[in-house]
């Protein structure tokens, strides 16, 4: 299976999508009323699509997933560029930390990080932090789901694409338990040709995933929650 999309809910997808396209220098794939899609390609590494989908209501809960951007050798210059594109400073109680917390045009938080050795070759997105009730458990779950390679640095639990390039997935101890409110960001994983959906679902459920039905009718993908309750979509194979 392949980790394919980072999905963002937005009241104005074109506005939010245009911001992220400029911020990350993405390749535009689709810009229509049904959503905005652009691609992040890392040389000799993975690609990920940023999909901004329309919603009718603003977010009501803190996000359990966000983007950490690379400082690219000059974090303050990166911050100033993002502010010029429409980002704003955001206080989430971070106090004295070596990174800068910003918000996109609809208030979705993200960070610009100080330079770290492990961020060589990530591209503009250094990490995708995910709230986790059990980082070691969720690291193993997402490794099995995506084929990304697990590693640890001290207490941190991380995954990276087998190429050794592109962003890290990092599993962070959750500040509070998952609520019933829909998360404003989630990840999509696509089945490979030959994968049997029923077998895949049975295996994921043995590892702690749970299917859920929000009442949206028939969909071409399967909605799941990981063992910590974070939403994800399992997309059908393209062949």
């Amino acid at each position: 299976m392949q980790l394919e999309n980072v999905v963002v809910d937005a009241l104005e997808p074109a506005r939010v999508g245009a911001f992220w396209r400029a911020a990350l220098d993405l390749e535009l794939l689709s810009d229509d009323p049904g959503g905005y899609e652009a691609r992040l390609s890392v040389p000799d590494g993975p690609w990920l699509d940023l999909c901004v989908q329309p919603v009718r209501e603003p977010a009501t809960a803190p996000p359990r997933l966000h983007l950490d951007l690379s400082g690219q050798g000059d974090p303050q210059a990166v911050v100033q560029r993002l502010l010029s594109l429409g980002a704003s400073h955001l206080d989430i109680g971070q106090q004295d930390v070596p990174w800068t917390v910003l918000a996109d045009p609809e208030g979705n938080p993200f960070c610009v990080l100080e330079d770290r050795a492990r961020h060589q070759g990530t591209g503009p997105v250094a990490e995708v932090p995910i709230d986790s009730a059990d980082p070691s458990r969720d690291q193993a779950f997402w490794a099995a789901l995506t084929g990304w390679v697990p590693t640890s640095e001290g207490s941190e639990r991380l995954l990276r694409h087998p190429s050794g390039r592109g962003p890290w997935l990092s599993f962070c101890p959750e500040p509070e338990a998952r609520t019933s409110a829909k998360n404003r960001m989630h990840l999509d994983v696509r089945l490979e040709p030959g994968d049997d959906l029923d077998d895949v679902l049975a295996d994921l459920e043995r590892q702690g995933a749970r299917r859920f039905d929000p009442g949206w009718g028939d969909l071409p993908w399967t909605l799941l929650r990981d063992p910590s309750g974070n939403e994800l979509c399992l997309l059908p194979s393209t062949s």
Side-chain angles (χ1 to χ4, degrees):
M1 290 175 282
Q2 176 180 321
L3 179 58
E4 183 165 309
N5 301 327
V6 178
V7 183
V8 183
D9 290 350
L11 300 173
E12 298 181 76
R15 180 180 177 224
V16 173
F19 167 81
W20 283 108
R21 181 187 175 199
L24 303 177
D25 192 24
L26 306 179
E27 173 194 357
L28 180 65
L29 300 179
S30 175
D31 178 12
D32 59 51
Y36 191 105
E37 187 169 357
R39 177 161 295 176
L40 169 66
S41 297
V42 177
D44 301 317
W47 56 265
L48 283 173
D49 288 349
L50 181 77
C51 302
V52 187
Q53 63 182 13
V55 294
R56 296 180 180 179
E57 302 292 337
T60 58
R64 291 178 58 86
L65 178 154
H66 68 274
L67 302 182
D68 280 351
L69 306 191
S70 168
Q72 301 179 42
D74 191 348
Q76 287 310 307
V78 172
V79 167
Q80 290 305 312
R81 176 175 174 270
L82 294 165
L83 292 172
S84 74
L85 293 173
S88 57
H89 284 284
L90 183 65
D91 184 356
I92 56 172
Q94 65 268 26
Q95 299 183 345
D96 185 19
V97 293
W99 55 85
T100 302
V101 181
L102 300 175
D104 75 8
E106 286 198 3
N108 298 305
F110 66 97
C111 300
V112 178
L113 301 182
E114 76 284 8
D115 291 331
R116 301 177 186 176
R118 73 177 184 230
H119 294 158
Q120 293 294 317
T122 63
V125 179
E127 302 196 13
V128 182
I130 303 171
D131 283 359
S132 169
D134 184 334
S136 294
R137 177 200 62 192
D138 291 344
Q139 178 195 46
F141 174 85
W142 281 92
L145 182 63
T146 63
W148 285 29
V149 179
T151 188
S152 299
E153 291 189 10
S155 63
E156 294 183 278
R157 298 294 177 260
L158 307 161
L159 294 178
R160 201 177 196 188
H161 188 266
S163 66
R165 299 182 65 80
W168 296 84
L169 296 184
S170 56
F171 298 90
C172 308
E174 60 186 13
E176 57 186 51
R178 172 75 166 79
T179 70
S180 60
K182 184 179 184 295
N183 197 14
R184 72 183 79 179
M185 298 183 71
H186 70 267
L187 301 176
D188 287 349
V189 178
R190 187 174 295 278
L191 294 173
E192 299 284 0
D195 286 338
D196 181 86
L197 176 60
D198 290 336
D199 289 346
V200 168
L201 288 173
D203 185 53
L204 294 176
E205 289 177 327
R206 281 192 294 270
Q207 297 179 64
R210 293 293 179 265
R211 282 180 265 193
F212 72 102
D213 181 3
W216 297 341
D218 291 335
L219 299 170
W221 52 81
T222 304
L223 301 171
L224 298 171
R225 290 194 174 102
D226 77 2
S228 288
N230 300 305
E231 296 100 337
L232 67 105
C233 292
L234 193 60
L235 308 179
S237 167
T238 55
S239 65

PDB file of all heavy atoms in Angstrom, residues 90-121:
ATOM      1  N   LEU A  90       0.720  32.172  15.333  1.00  0.00           N
ATOM      2  CA  LEU A  90      -0.313  31.499  16.115  1.00  0.00           C
ATOM      3  C   LEU A  90       0.257  31.131  17.475  1.00  0.00           C
ATOM      4  O   LEU A  90       1.338  30.539  17.583  1.00  0.00           O
ATOM      5  CB  LEU A  90      -0.784  30.240  15.391  1.00  0.00           C
ATOM      6  CG  LEU A  90      -1.923  29.447  16.036  1.00  0.00           C
ATOM      7  CD1 LEU A  90      -3.207  30.265  16.066  1.00  0.00           C
ATOM      8  CD2 LEU A  90      -2.156  28.135  15.278  1.00  0.00           C
ATOM      9  N   ASP A  91      -0.483  31.473  18.518  1.00  0.00           N
ATOM     10  CA  ASP A  91      -0.104  31.111  19.876  1.00  0.00           C
ATOM     11  C   ASP A  91      -0.969  29.942  20.335  1.00  0.00           C
ATOM     12  O   ASP A  91      -2.177  30.081  20.522  1.00  0.00           O
ATOM     13  CB  ASP A  91      -0.291  32.309  20.810  1.00  0.00           C
ATOM     14  CG  ASP A  91       0.170  32.024  22.239  1.00  0.00           C
ATOM     15  OD1 ASP A  91       0.563  30.869  22.521  1.00  0.00           O
ATOM     16  OD2 ASP A  91       0.136  32.953  23.063  1.00  0.00           O
ATOM     17  N   ILE A  92      -0.344  28.778  20.485  1.00  0.00           N
ATOM     18  CA  ILE A  92      -1.055  27.600  20.993  1.00  0.00           C
ATOM     19  C   ILE A  92      -0.505  27.206  22.363  1.00  0.00           C
ATOM     20  O   ILE A  92      -0.621  26.056  22.782  1.00  0.00           O
ATOM     21  CB  ILE A  92      -0.960  26.414  20.012  1.00  0.00           C
ATOM     22  CG1 ILE A  92       0.501  26.070  19.704  1.00  0.00           C
ATOM     23  CG2 ILE A  92      -1.708  26.733  18.723  1.00  0.00           C
ATOM     24  CD1 ILE A  92       0.669  24.789  18.901  1.00  0.00           C
ATOM     25  N   GLY A  93       0.124  28.176  23.018  1.00  0.00           N
ATOM     26  CA  GLY A  93       0.722  27.912  24.319  1.00  0.00           C
ATOM     27  C   GLY A  93       2.096  27.297  24.239  1.00  0.00           C
ATOM     28  O   GLY A  93       2.569  26.688  25.199  1.00  0.00           O
ATOM     29  N   GLN A  94       2.790  27.479  23.082  1.00  0.00           N
ATOM     30  CA  GLN A  94       4.069  26.829  22.877  1.00  0.00           C
ATOM     31  C   GLN A  94       5.202  27.423  23.713  1.00  0.00           C
ATOM     32  O   GLN A  94       6.229  26.784  23.917  1.00  0.00           O
ATOM     33  CB  GLN A  94       4.455  26.862  21.391  1.00  0.00           C
ATOM     34  CG  GLN A  94       4.714  28.255  20.828  1.00  0.00           C
ATOM     35  CD  GLN A  94       3.478  28.867  20.215  1.00  0.00           C
ATOM     36  OE1 GLN A  94       2.362  28.530  20.578  1.00  0.00           O
ATOM     37  NE2 GLN A  94       3.668  29.752  19.246  1.00  0.00           N
ATOM     38  N   GLN A  95       5.040  28.655  24.179  1.00  0.00           N
ATOM     39  CA  GLN A  95       6.036  29.320  25.020  1.00  0.00           C
ATOM     40  C   GLN A  95       7.393  29.379  24.311  1.00  0.00           C
ATOM     41  O   GLN A  95       7.466  29.658  23.117  1.00  0.00           O
ATOM     42  CB  GLN A  95       6.093  28.667  26.400  1.00  0.00           C
ATOM     43  CG  GLN A  95       4.760  28.758  27.145  1.00  0.00           C
ATOM     44  CD  GLN A  95       4.793  28.179  28.541  1.00  0.00           C
ATOM     45  OE1 GLN A  95       5.706  27.457  28.923  1.00  0.00           O
ATOM     46  NE2 GLN A  95       3.786  28.506  29.327  1.00  0.00           N
ATOM     47  N   ASP A  96       8.481  29.055  25.021  1.00  0.00           N
ATOM     48  CA  ASP A  96       9.824  29.228  24.472  1.00  0.00           C
ATOM     49  C   ASP A  96      10.285  27.941  23.794  1.00  0.00           C
ATOM     50  O   ASP A  96      10.790  27.020  24.443  1.00  0.00           O
ATOM     51  CB  ASP A  96      10.791  29.628  25.587  1.00  0.00           C
ATOM     52  CG  ASP A  96      12.184  29.947  25.049  1.00  0.00           C
ATOM     53  OD1 ASP A  96      12.287  30.215  23.833  1.00  0.00           O
ATOM     54  OD2 ASP A  96      13.138  29.916  25.841  1.00  0.00           O
ATOM     55  N   VAL A  97      10.090  27.862  22.488  1.00  0.00           N
ATOM     56  CA  VAL A  97      10.476  26.675  21.726  1.00  0.00           C
ATOM     57  C   VAL A  97      11.354  27.121  20.548  1.00  0.00           C
ATOM     58  O   VAL A  97      11.286  28.280  20.113  1.00  0.00           O
ATOM     59  CB  VAL A  97       9.232  25.914  21.201  1.00  0.00           C
ATOM     60  CG1 VAL A  97       8.444  25.317  22.351  1.00  0.00           C
ATOM     61  CG2 VAL A  97       8.342  26.828  20.357  1.00  0.00           C
ATOM     62  N   PRO A  98      12.169  26.218  20.009  1.00  0.00           N
ATOM     63  CA  PRO A  98      13.077  26.602  18.924  1.00  0.00           C
ATOM     64  C   PRO A  98      12.434  26.584  17.539  1.00  0.00           C
ATOM     65  O   PRO A  98      13.147  26.659  16.540  1.00  0.00           O
ATOM     66  CB  PRO A  98      14.198  25.568  19.029  1.00  0.00           C
ATOM     67  CG  PRO A  98      13.532  24.361  19.594  1.00  0.00           C
ATOM     68  CD  PRO A  98      12.470  24.876  20.545  1.00  0.00           C
ATOM     69  N   TRP A  99      11.126  26.438  17.459  1.00  0.00           N
ATOM     70  CA  TRP A  99      10.437  26.491  16.181  1.00  0.00           C
ATOM     71  C   TRP A  99       9.394  27.604  16.227  1.00  0.00           C
ATOM     72  O   TRP A  99       9.068  28.150  17.283  1.00  0.00           O
ATOM     73  CB  TRP A  99       9.794  25.151  15.834  1.00  0.00           C
ATOM     74  CG  TRP A  99       8.860  24.615  16.876  1.00  0.00           C
ATOM     75  CD1 TRP A  99       7.535  24.911  17.049  1.00  0.00           C
ATOM     76  CD2 TRP A  99       9.172  23.668  17.911  1.00  0.00           C
ATOM     77  NE1 TRP A  99       7.003  24.225  18.104  1.00  0.00           N
ATOM     78  CE2 TRP A  99       7.976  23.449  18.658  1.00  0.00           C
ATOM     79  CE3 TRP A  99      10.336  22.986  18.263  1.00  0.00           C
ATOM     80  CZ2 TRP A  99       7.938  22.578  19.736  1.00  0.00           C
ATOM     81  CZ3 TRP A  99      10.288  22.127  19.343  1.00  0.00           C
ATOM     82  CH2 TRP A  99       9.100  21.920  20.066  1.00  0.00           C
ATOM     83  N   THR A 100       8.843  27.907  15.057  1.00  0.00           N
ATOM     84  CA  THR A 100       7.839  28.969  14.941  1.00  0.00           C
ATOM     85  C   THR A 100       6.504  28.352  14.550  1.00  0.00           C
ATOM     86  O   THR A 100       6.442  27.568  13.594  1.00  0.00           O
ATOM     87  CB  THR A 100       8.251  30.004  13.885  1.00  0.00           C
ATOM     88  OG1 THR A 100       9.524  30.552  14.232  1.00  0.00           O
ATOM     89  CG2 THR A 100       7.224  31.126  13.789  1.00  0.00           C
ATOM     90  N   VAL A 101       5.455  28.687  15.296  1.00  0.00           N
ATOM     91  CA  VAL A 101       4.116  28.179  15.011  1.00  0.00           C
ATOM     92  C   VAL A 101       3.358  29.229  14.193  1.00  0.00           C
ATOM     93  O   VAL A 101       3.267  30.388  14.588  1.00  0.00           O
ATOM     94  CB  VAL A 101       3.348  27.853  16.299  1.00  0.00           C
ATOM     95  CG1 VAL A 101       1.961  27.291  15.966  1.00  0.00           C
ATOM     96  CG2 VAL A 101       4.132  26.860  17.150  1.00  0.00           C
ATOM     97  N   LEU A 102       2.827  28.787  13.068  1.00  0.00           N
ATOM     98  CA  LEU A 102       2.058  29.653  12.176  1.00  0.00           C
ATOM     99  C   LEU A 102       0.708  29.009  11.899  1.00  0.00           C
ATOM    100  O   LEU A 102       0.467  27.849  12.251  1.00  0.00           O
ATOM    101  CB  LEU A 102       2.810  29.867  10.858  1.00  0.00           C
ATOM    102  CG  LEU A 102       4.194  30.525  10.928  1.00  0.00           C
ATOM    103  CD1 LEU A 102       4.834  30.547   9.531  1.00  0.00           C
ATOM    104  CD2 LEU A 102       4.112  31.931  11.493  1.00  0.00           C
ATOM    105  N   ALA A 103      -0.168  29.756  11.240  1.00  0.00           N
ATOM    106  CA  ALA A 103      -1.466  29.241  10.789  1.00  0.00           C
ATOM    107  C   ALA A 103      -1.634  29.565   9.322  1.00  0.00           C
ATOM    108  O   ALA A 103      -1.190  30.623   8.844  1.00  0.00           O
ATOM    109  CB  ALA A 103      -2.604  29.859  11.600  1.00  0.00           C
ATOM    110  N   ASP A 104      -2.281  28.660   8.595  1.00  0.00           N
ATOM    111  CA  ASP A 104      -2.595  28.938   7.196  1.00  0.00           C
ATOM    112  C   ASP A 104      -3.801  29.878   7.137  1.00  0.00           C
ATOM    113  O   ASP A 104      -4.324  30.307   8.176  1.00  0.00           O
ATOM    114  CB  ASP A 104      -2.783  27.634   6.415  1.00  0.00           C
ATOM    115  CG  ASP A 104      -4.104  26.915   6.697  1.00  0.00           C
ATOM    116  OD1 ASP A 104      -4.983  27.469   7.383  1.00  0.00           O
ATOM    117  OD2 ASP A 104      -4.272  25.780   6.198  1.00  0.00           O
ATOM    118  N   PRO A 105      -4.290  30.250   5.954  1.00  0.00           N
ATOM    119  CA  PRO A 105      -5.361  31.247   5.880  1.00  0.00           C
ATOM    120  C   PRO A 105      -6.665  30.869   6.579  1.00  0.00           C
ATOM    121  O   PRO A 105      -7.498  31.744   6.826  1.00  0.00           O
ATOM    122  CB  PRO A 105      -5.566  31.412   4.370  1.00  0.00           C
ATOM    123  CG  PRO A 105      -4.232  31.133   3.776  1.00  0.00           C
ATOM    124  CD  PRO A 105      -3.697  30.010   4.616  1.00  0.00           C
ATOM    125  N   GLU A 106      -6.891  29.590   6.903  1.00  0.00           N
ATOM    126  CA  GLU A 106      -8.081  29.216   7.658  1.00  0.00           C
ATOM    127  C   GLU A 106      -7.759  28.795   9.088  1.00  0.00           C
ATOM    128  O   GLU A 106      -8.578  28.183   9.767  1.00  0.00           O
ATOM    129  CB  GLU A 106      -8.870  28.123   6.937  1.00  0.00           C
ATOM    130  CG  GLU A 106      -9.608  28.664   5.724  1.00  0.00           C
ATOM    131  CD  GLU A 106     -10.721  27.747   5.236  1.00  0.00           C
ATOM    132  OE1 GLU A 106     -10.973  26.703   5.879  1.00  0.00           O
ATOM    133  OE2 GLU A 106     -11.334  28.080   4.205  1.00  0.00           O
ATOM    134  N   GLY A 107      -6.573  29.131   9.550  1.00  0.00           N
ATOM    135  CA  GLY A 107      -6.231  28.888  10.945  1.00  0.00           C
ATOM    136  C   GLY A 107      -5.644  27.529  11.247  1.00  0.00           C
ATOM    137  O   GLY A 107      -5.411  27.213  12.423  1.00  0.00           O
ATOM    138  N   ASN A 108      -5.381  26.696  10.226  1.00  0.00           N
ATOM    139  CA  ASN A 108      -4.769  25.395  10.478  1.00  0.00           C
ATOM    140  C   ASN A 108      -3.319  25.592  10.917  1.00  0.00           C
ATOM    141  O   ASN A 108      -2.521  26.197  10.191  1.00  0.00           O
ATOM    142  CB  ASN A 108      -4.802  24.533   9.217  1.00  0.00           C
ATOM    143  CG  ASN A 108      -6.205  24.233   8.759  1.00  0.00           C
ATOM    144  OD1 ASN A 108      -7.015  23.710   9.518  1.00  0.00           O
ATOM    145  ND2 ASN A 108      -6.518  24.568   7.514  1.00  0.00           N
ATOM    146  N   PRO A 109      -2.926  25.087  12.091  1.00  0.00           N
ATOM    147  CA  PRO A 109      -1.568  25.323  12.575  1.00  0.00           C
ATOM    148  C   PRO A 109      -0.536  24.493  11.828  1.00  0.00           C
ATOM    149  O   PRO A 109      -0.803  23.374  11.376  1.00  0.00           O
ATOM    150  CB  PRO A 109      -1.648  24.925  14.044  1.00  0.00           C
ATOM    151  CG  PRO A 109      -2.781  23.973  14.131  1.00  0.00           C
ATOM    152  CD  PRO A 109      -3.759  24.371  13.068  1.00  0.00           C
ATOM    153  N   PHE A 110       0.651  25.042  11.702  1.00  0.00           N
ATOM    154  CA  PHE A 110       1.810  24.320  11.206  1.00  0.00           C
ATOM    155  C   PHE A 110       3.046  24.971  11.804  1.00  0.00           C
ATOM    156  O   PHE A 110       2.970  26.052  12.395  1.00  0.00           O
ATOM    157  CB  PHE A 110       1.854  24.280   9.679  1.00  0.00           C
ATOM    158  CG  PHE A 110       2.047  25.615   9.005  1.00  0.00           C
ATOM    159  CD1 PHE A 110       3.306  26.035   8.604  1.00  0.00           C
ATOM    160  CD2 PHE A 110       0.965  26.452   8.750  1.00  0.00           C
ATOM    161  CE1 PHE A 110       3.490  27.262   7.974  1.00  0.00           C
ATOM    162  CE2 PHE A 110       1.135  27.674   8.115  1.00  0.00           C
ATOM    163  CZ  PHE A 110       2.407  28.092   7.729  1.00  0.00           C
ATOM    164  N   CYS A 111       4.182  24.312  11.666  1.00  0.00           N
ATOM    165  CA  CYS A 111       5.406  24.812  12.287  1.00  0.00           C
ATOM    166  C   CYS A 111       6.511  24.947  11.244  1.00  0.00           C
ATOM    167  O   CYS A 111       6.569  24.183  10.281  1.00  0.00           O
ATOM    168  CB  CYS A 111       5.882  23.860  13.387  1.00  0.00           C
ATOM    169  SG  CYS A 111       4.693  23.631  14.726  1.00  0.00           S
ATOM    170  N   VAL A 112       7.389  25.908  11.468  1.00  0.00           N
ATOM    171  CA  VAL A 112       8.654  26.005  10.745  1.00  0.00           C
ATOM    172  C   VAL A 112       9.746  25.635  11.732  1.00  0.00           C
ATOM    173  O   VAL A 112       9.902  26.279  12.770  1.00  0.00           O
ATOM    174  CB  VAL A 112       8.885  27.418  10.183  1.00  0.00           C
ATOM    175  CG1 VAL A 112      10.244  27.484   9.481  1.00  0.00           C
ATOM    176  CG2 VAL A 112       7.767  27.799   9.219  1.00  0.00           C
ATOM    177  N   LEU A 113      10.486  24.565  11.410  1.00  0.00           N
ATOM    178  CA  LEU A 113      11.424  24.001  12.369  1.00  0.00           C
ATOM    179  C   LEU A 113      12.814  24.596  12.234  1.00  0.00           C
ATOM    180  O   LEU A 113      13.215  25.051  11.156  1.00  0.00           O
ATOM    181  CB  LEU A 113      11.518  22.487  12.168  1.00  0.00           C
ATOM    182  CG  LEU A 113      10.227  21.679  12.322  1.00  0.00           C
ATOM    183  CD1 LEU A 113      10.530  20.202  12.139  1.00  0.00           C
ATOM    184  CD2 LEU A 113       9.565  21.933  13.661  1.00  0.00           C
ATOM    185  N   GLU A 114      13.538  24.546  13.331  1.00  0.00           N
ATOM    186  CA  GLU A 114      14.969  24.797  13.279  1.00  0.00           C
ATOM    187  C   GLU A 114      15.628  23.654  12.517  1.00  0.00           C
ATOM    188  O   GLU A 114      15.055  22.574  12.350  1.00  0.00           O
ATOM    189  CB  GLU A 114      15.523  24.904  14.708  1.00  0.00           C
ATOM    190  CG  GLU A 114      15.692  23.591  15.447  1.00  0.00           C
ATOM    191  CD  GLU A 114      14.402  22.961  15.974  1.00  0.00           C
ATOM    192  OE1 GLU A 114      13.294  23.460  15.649  1.00  0.00           O
ATOM    193  OE2 GLU A 114      14.501  21.961  16.711  1.00  0.00           O
ATOM    194  N   ASP A 115      16.846  23.886  12.026  1.00  0.00           N
ATOM    195  CA  ASP A 115      17.527  22.850  11.257  1.00  0.00           C
ATOM    196  C   ASP A 115      17.890  21.665  12.150  1.00  0.00           C
ATOM    197  O   ASP A 115      18.391  21.837  13.269  1.00  0.00           O
ATOM    198  CB  ASP A 115      18.787  23.414  10.603  1.00  0.00           C
ATOM    199  CG  ASP A 115      18.466  24.400   9.493  1.00  0.00           C
ATOM    200  OD1 ASP A 115      17.395  24.251   8.871  1.00  0.00           O
ATOM    201  OD2 ASP A 115      19.272  25.315   9.250  1.00  0.00           O
ATOM    202  N   ARG A 116      17.592  20.469  11.667  1.00  0.00           N
ATOM    203  CA  ARG A 116      17.929  19.234  12.366  1.00  0.00           C
ATOM    204  C   ARG A 116      18.620  18.301  11.381  1.00  0.00           C
ATOM    205  O   ARG A 116      18.282  18.258  10.198  1.00  0.00           O
ATOM    206  CB  ARG A 116      16.673  18.558  12.923  1.00  0.00           C
ATOM    207  CG  ARG A 116      15.873  19.419  13.902  1.00  0.00           C
ATOM    208  CD  ARG A 116      14.613  18.710  14.347  1.00  0.00           C
ATOM    209  NE  ARG A 116      13.762  19.570  15.171  1.00  0.00           N
ATOM    210  CZ  ARG A 116      12.564  19.224  15.626  1.00  0.00           C
ATOM    211  NH1 ARG A 116      12.079  18.017  15.343  1.00  0.00           N
ATOM    212  NH2 ARG A 116      11.855  20.061  16.355  1.00  0.00           N
ATOM    213  N   ALA A 117      19.567  17.524  11.886  1.00  0.00           N
ATOM    214  CA  ALA A 117      20.346  16.655  11.009  1.00  0.00           C
ATOM    215  C   ALA A 117      19.461  15.688  10.233  1.00  0.00           C
ATOM    216  O   ALA A 117      19.716  15.404   9.056  1.00  0.00           O
ATOM    217  CB  ALA A 117      21.383  15.889  11.831  1.00  0.00           C
ATOM    218  N   ARG A 118      18.411  15.183  10.868  1.00  0.00           N
ATOM    219  CA  ARG A 118      17.592  14.168  10.195  1.00  0.00           C
ATOM    220  C   ARG A 118      16.735  14.739   9.064  1.00  0.00           C
ATOM    221  O   ARG A 118      16.103  13.981   8.325  1.00  0.00           O
ATOM    222  CB  ARG A 118      16.723  13.428  11.195  1.00  0.00           C
ATOM    223  CG  ARG A 118      15.532  14.203  11.753  1.00  0.00           C
ATOM    224  CD  ARG A 118      14.746  13.294  12.674  1.00  0.00           C
ATOM    225  NE  ARG A 118      13.525  13.887  13.189  1.00  0.00           N
ATOM    226  CZ  ARG A 118      13.178  13.905  14.478  1.00  0.00           C
ATOM    227  NH1 ARG A 118      13.989  13.394  15.377  1.00  0.00           N
ATOM    228  NH2 ARG A 118      12.029  14.436  14.860  1.00  0.00           N
ATOM    229  N   HIS A 119      16.695  16.049   8.928  1.00  0.00           N
ATOM    230  CA  HIS A 119      15.857  16.652   7.894  1.00  0.00           C
ATOM    231  C   HIS A 119      16.574  16.848   6.565  1.00  0.00           C
ATOM    232  O   HIS A 119      16.023  17.444   5.638  1.00  0.00           O
ATOM    233  CB  HIS A 119      15.288  17.985   8.394  1.00  0.00           C
ATOM    234  CG  HIS A 119      14.340  17.813   9.540  1.00  0.00           C
ATOM    235  ND1 HIS A 119      14.055  18.820  10.426  1.00  0.00           N
ATOM    236  CD2 HIS A 119      13.627  16.730   9.944  1.00  0.00           C
ATOM    237  CE1 HIS A 119      13.199  18.373  11.336  1.00  0.00           C
ATOM    238  NE2 HIS A 119      12.926  17.107  11.059  1.00  0.00           N
ATOM    239  N   GLN A 120      17.777  16.317   6.434  1.00  0.00           N
ATOM    240  CA  GLN A 120      18.432  16.331   5.144  1.00  0.00           C
ATOM    241  C   GLN A 120      17.619  15.486   4.164  1.00  0.00           C
ATOM    242  O   GLN A 120      17.245  14.359   4.451  1.00  0.00           O
ATOM    243  CB  GLN A 120      19.849  15.746   5.264  1.00  0.00           C
ATOM    244  CG  GLN A 120      20.806  16.602   6.082  1.00  0.00           C
ATOM    245  CD  GLN A 120      21.094  17.936   5.400  1.00  0.00           C
ATOM    246  OE1 GLN A 120      21.305  17.997   4.187  1.00  0.00           O
ATOM    247  NE2 GLN A 120      21.091  19.007   6.187  1.00  0.00           N
ATOM    248  N   GLY A 121      17.313  16.047   3.010  1.00  0.00           N
ATOM    249  CA  GLY A 121      16.608  15.303   1.966  1.00  0.00           C
ATOM    250  C   GLY A 121      15.122  15.183   2.160  1.00  0.00           C
ATOM    251  O   GLY A 121      14.464  14.411   1.452  1.00  0.00           O
TER     252      GLY A 121
END
